[in-house]
Amino acid sequence: MKAFIQPGDRVVIKPNLAWSRPPEQAACTSPEVLAAVIAACRAAGAGELIVGEHACDAAAVVFDLSGARAVCAQAGVELVDWSSPRLYREQPLAQGQTLKTDRIASDLLDCDVYINLPTLKHHSASTVTLALKNQMGCVHDRGKYHSERGAAGANNLHRNVVDLATALRPTLNILDATRALRTGGPKGPGVVEQL
């Protein structure tokens, strides 16, 4: 972690905390992995450290049920609900082919180190959801990623996710592959495989 974090850096960790599911259903980043990444950031000398997410389900429920709130409280790390529009700034997606601009969480735009912490799982619209897809929790209106159409009205989710990635570049991606939601994703329930 010291290769990515300098002492005193402001670090933002963005796990997948989108759904009101307990850890054993594998729809969210596991609390053990989140705790390990927080500890590694601290050991590397991180200054301010926050965990943020714009949940699909009610954030208060998701943060409790996923185990993230307990992990952050025990570590003394702020867990931020990015649901409020005031927490975003409009940013150009200069290389975007469909999306040319979007509102991205200010915490990510202002940090020194951005750690993207997705979980390995099936997704009904994109086959899998991994690091690129997890970044939809960094924007205010994730719905447009599903609805913004490409040529001839084709579903453009894949292209839109790539458009976002042209502007939102994590310092480090760590994939929680301790278990995989193999079916029923992104929310589940579904078949979970321990890896």
Side-chain angles (χ1 to χ4, degrees), residues 23-170:
E24 60 272 14
Q25 291 187 354
C28 297
T29 302
S30 78
E32 294 83 8
V33 171
L34 178 58
V37 171
I38 290 170
C41 290
R42 284 260 165 78
E48 182 183 4
L49 182 59
I50 69 166
V51 173
E53 173 66 287
H54 184 190
C56 295
D57 289 342
V61 176
V62 172
F63 291 173
D64 285 337
L65 196 55
S66 69
R69 187 181 312 279
V71 165
C72 290
Q74 183 173 356
V77 171
E78 184 179 9
L79 178 57
V80 182
D81 171 8
W82 287 335
S83 61
S84 172
R86 67 178 175 76
L87 299 177
Y88 293 84
R89 290 200 312 264
E90 195 74 28
Q91 291 297 302
L93 307 180
Q95 297 174 341
Q97 292 183 14
T98 303
L99 300 176
K100 302 295 185 182
T101 182
D102 205 351
R103 295 181 52 77
I104 297 174
S106 296
D107 285 327
L108 292 169
L109 300 174
D110 297 335
C111 71
D112 300 306
V113 176
Y114 159 33
I115 299 175
N116 188 21
L117 187 58
T119 190
L120 175 61
K121 61 182 175 175
H122 167 259
H123 192 283
S124 59
S126 63
T127 308
V128 295
T129 176
L130 305 168
L132 290 178
K133 182 79 172 52
N134 191 49
Q135 292 197 126
M136 284 176 57
C138 302
V139 301
H140 185 256
D141 180 11
R142 84 179 75 232
K144 74 179 176 185
Y145 284 73
H146 291 277
S147 62
E148 191 73 28
R149 299 294 176 174
N155 184 324
N156 217 30
L157 176 62
H158 302 296
R159 175 72 254 165
N160 296 337
V161 167
V162 171
D163 285 354
L164 176 61
T166 66
L168 187 56
R169 306 298 289 252

